[in-house]
Amino acid sequence: MGTKSFMDQDFLLSTETAKKLYHDWAERMPVLDYHCHINPEEIALDRKFDNITQVWLKGDHYKWRQMRANGVAEEYITGRASDREKFQKWAETLSMAVGNPLYYWSHLELKRYFGYDGYLNGDTAEEVWNLCNEKLKEDSMSVRNLIRRYRVTLLCTTDDPSDDLKWHQAIAADPYCELKVLPAFRPDRAMNLEKLNYRAYLSWLGETVGMEIDSFERLKEALRKRMDYFQSMGCRAADHGLEYVPFAPASDREIERIFQKRLSEPEALPGREDLDRFRTAFLLFCGGEYSRRGWAMQLHYGCKRNNNRRMYEKLGADTGFDCIGGRNSVDALADFMNCLECRDELPKTIVYSLNPNDDTAIGTVIGCFQDSGSGIPGKIQQGSAWWFNDNKTGMTAQMTSLANQGILGNFIGMLTDSRSFVSYTRHEYFRRILCDLLGGWVENGEYPEDWKTLERIVKGICYNNAVEYFGFPVPKEG
């Protein structure tokens, strides 16, 4: 058997069944990106980029980590080096990153967006730099057209409660933009009592809603107002970024004591126990509100952030110094969901752990809270392999575990979790891995050649399940 061509049309598809599943169905489905960190202003203005470094390296801490691992000086990563110099260092790094998903994402992006079929390394960097920058001058490479390239029908940004959502308004009012861009509610800053700027944030949020936030009850009132506004702008999902899932129930009086102490003693930051009590009360409040609104609650946990203090103090957050956290949240997750369920306030919930060792446990927890009366298949979801796990190994493990413990056919599939407008190749990468997994089971006699059902499963996981789950205003396909 000869060597396969690099990233040919059957890339990652190892069986004939996998090829059929992908090329007949998965490849043709639109994309729904229900969680990303794209800036809606750039969509509203339909930005065009000057060079490939702006597209690829600005703000991309995934790439920054690998450049540091390759011994690249910080000047060429986040420093003052020119865009051409930074691109050269990335090209040299990428050639060494065999097996890393960034290698495949980057080359898929070069193929799909720039028509480049070669491979990027230090020697080809000049050729690729010139080709990409010339291509970026074309109107077809504006932000909206980059999104259109993968038939994206809808995406959800990640937005603070205090955001005025003016760019979402502008996009919705633009008759030339068929893409739906909806906000997602991300109230982490309202919950993070331990942050030094917490009181300043409360003042900012209070100005947004026109009220002073001087109690926990007033904070909840302010958040309800913002939820109402977000809903009027089409919001159907919320997201919480957590180091771990807390569950430490406390009385209303105790929560108010913790809150008042934070307001009155700015130098006395709360300890772990008080933080857990406050966060539990905050999340239970949010869960109930999401349930009443029909929103989906996303819980991202298991990340230990800002580990390199020296570099954090120099560069700030989200610069490539986070890692998988080890604190076990599974017991607390079950107790948290049970508390909401007992109140009849458990919303649609998507659980993501950064620790892949949690996969099986999450599968068993979500199985305890599926609601046959809700009419929602897979009301409680295990989210797709996240961050350090969104690679072939991690995706295969997550989907296999979900299949073992639940119903893979109801899975709502992939998201980009990205700040890049060319990252929709990640959906292609995911779909190829999905089809290879399913195709292998069929060819091994573990699932029949029931093409009608396989078509429904593939189309569902790629797109249709998410449309139905969130209730987004876009049609299902096929």
Side-chain angles (χ1 to χ4, degrees):
M1 181 177 179
T3 301
K4 291 185 66 175
S5 298
F6 173 61
M7 291 183 68
D8 65 7
Q9 66 175 357
D10 295 327
F11 173 57
L12 296 175
L13 305 173
S14 59
T15 66
E16 292 304 312
T17 301
K19 295 173 187 177
K20 177 176 174 61
L21 295 175
Y22 181 74
H23 293 301
D24 285 5
W25 299 316
E27 186 176 29
R28 302 178 182 185
M29 295 300 288
V31 167
L32 194 156
D33 193 16
Y34 56 85
H35 176 74
C36 73
H37 298 275
I38 278 175
N39 184 351
E41 178 181 359
E42 294 181 313
I43 301 175
L45 300 178
D46 202 15
R47 178 186 175 183
K48 290 180 68 176
F49 297 95
D50 295 328
N51 62 58
I52 185 62
T53 296
Q54 292 179 6
V55 176
W56 260 9
L57 295 174
K58 184 178 180 181
D60 193 337
H61 54 83
Y62 282 50
K63 294 186 177 75
W64 295 350
R65 284 172 68 97
Q66 306 314 319
M67 293 170 77
R68 293 178 187 122
N70 201 42
V72 175
E74 196 66 31
E75 176 186 1
Y76 298 97
I77 303 172
T78 60
R80 296 183 177 180
S82 69
D83 284 353
R84 176 65 183 88
E85 291 172 314
K86 289 178 177 179
F87 180 76
Q88 181 70 34
K89 295 299 184 182
W90 169 241
E92 294 168 3
T93 297
L94 186 65
S95 65
M96 303 301 291
V98 56
N100 191 297
L102 285 167
Y103 193 86
Y104 308 115
W105 295 346
S106 296
H107 283 94
L108 281 172
E109 289 166 12
L110 288 175
K111 279 178 173 285
R112 303 298 183 242
Y113 291 102
F114 298 95
Y116 182 72
D117 290 323
Y119 46 90
L120 177 62
N121 58 30
D123 294 334
T124 61
E126 180 70 14
E127 173 192 5
V128 176
W129 170 264
N130 291 330
L131 182 151
C132 290
N133 293 348
E134 193 64 29
K135 185 74 173 177
L136 285 168
K137 295 177 182 178
E138 300 175 7
D139 289 342
S140 64
M141 299 298 282
S142 71
V143 158
R144 293 185 190 179
N145 285 318
L146 291 174
I147 296 172
R148 289 184 181 108
R149 190 73 57 89
Y150 266 81
R151 294 180 60 211
V152 181
T153 62
L154 183 148
L155 63 84
C156 294
T157 56
T158 306
D159 307 279
D160 187 86
S162 61
D163 197 306
D164 62 12
L165 305 182
K166 68 177 183 180
W167 296 112
H168 294 82
Q169 293 175 352
I171 295 167
D174 187 342
Y176 299 103
C177 185
E178 74 285 357
L179 173 70
K180 295 187 183 301
V181 180
L182 304 182
F185 194 74
R186 179 77 175 245
D188 292 358
R189 296 176 69 188
M191 184 184 71
N192 290 340
L193 207 64
E194 77 283 8
K195 298 297 184 182
L196 294 176
N197 64 350
Y198 185 74
R199 297 199 314 165
Y201 175 75
L202 288 185
S203 296
W204 186 20
L205 178 60
E207 290 177 6
T208 301
V209 295
M211 58 184 285
E212 182 181 3
I213 301 176
D214 56 6
S215 69
F216 185 50
E217 288 302 316
R218 296 278 280 177
L219 173 59
K220 291 192 287 187
E221 182 181 348
L223 291 172
R224 287 190 192 98
K225 289 183 177 181
R226 298 312 291 166
M227 289 180 200
D228 289 343
Y229 176 60
F230 272 57
Q231 180 137 6
S232 74
M233 293 297 298
C235 180
R236 296 293 180 270
D239 182 56
H240 297 264
L242 307 165
E243 182 178 339
Y244 57 90
V245 178
F247 191 72
S251 67
D252 292 345
R253 181 176 180 179
E254 178 68 4
I255 299 303
E256 192 59 50
R257 178 196 67 77
I258 295 168
F259 190 79
Q260 290 300 327
K261 183 176 181 180
R262 182 68 184 90
L263 295 186
S264 61
E265 301 178 30
E267 302 304 319
L269 299 180
R272 173 67 58 93
E273 290 184 357
D274 278 353
L275 276 176
D276 284 354
R277 293 184 184 108
F278 182 78
R279 289 168 175 167
T280 299
F282 187 97
L283 289 168
L284 289 172
F285 158 74
C286 287
E289 290 298 324
Y290 303 155
S291 178
R292 280 184 275 280
R293 290 170 169 78
W295 291 8
M297 173 174 65
Q298 298 176 87
L299 300 174
H300 283 86
Y301 73 86
C303 180
K304 189 174 185 300
R305 297 182 183 273
N306 307 320
N307 294 285
N308 187 328
R309 180 174 294 276
R310 181 178 65 85
M311 293 302 291
Y312 170 69
E313 291 175 351
K314 179 180 179 181
L315 300 175
D318 300 322
T319 51
F321 302 100
D322 304 329
C323 70
I324 294 173
R327 181 163 177 167
N328 186 355
S329 293
V330 174
D331 286 359
L333 173 66
D335 291 340
F336 170 70
M337 295 178 73
N338 183 56
C339 186
L340 285 169
E341 176 68 20
C342 289
R343 298 178 178 185
D344 196 23
E345 293 182 336
L346 180 62
K348 293 179 288 189
T349 303
I350 310 166
V351 180
Y352 312 78
S353 173
L354 198 55
N355 191 333
N357 294 323
D358 289 349
D359 280 351
T360 300
I362 288 173
T364 64
V365 171
I366 67 176
C368 297
F369 299 100
Q370 303 294 5
D371 186 353
S372 61
S374 68
I376 303 170
K379 175 182 175 181
I380 314 299
Q381 291 270 335
Q382 180 185 9
S384 62
W386 172 42
W387 196 343
F388 297 121
N389 303 309
D390 55 2
N391 50 59
K392 181 180 177 181
T393 301
M395 291 177 182
T396 301
Q398 182 267 340
M399 286 189 282
T400 301
S401 179
L402 179 56
N404 288 339
Q405 301 300 328
I407 299 183
L408 180 62
N410 291 335
F411 179 36
I412 58 173
M414 184 58 176
L415 49 93
T416 63
D417 194 27
S418 172
R419 294 167 175 81
S420 170
F421 291 98
V422 294
S423 62
Y424 292 104
T425 56
R426 297 184 191 182
H427 282 261
E428 177 180 343
Y429 180 73
F430 166 82
R431 291 175 180 186
R432 289 175 177 272
I433 292 167
L434 165 68
C435 291
D436 195 59
L437 180 65
L438 295 175
W441 287 340
V442 171
E443 297 216 358
N444 198 40
E446 298 176 62
Y447 194 86
E449 289 185 323
D450 178 357
W451 298 112
K452 181 178 180 180
T453 304
L454 285 165
E455 178 182 3
R456 179 183 174 191
I457 290 171
V458 168
K459 289 182 174 180
I461 295 173
C462 290
Y463 181 78
N464 287 334
N465 291 351
V467 173
E468 185 172 355
Y469 182 81
F470 289 96
F472 285 137
V474 291
K476 293 169 66 175
E477 293 273 327

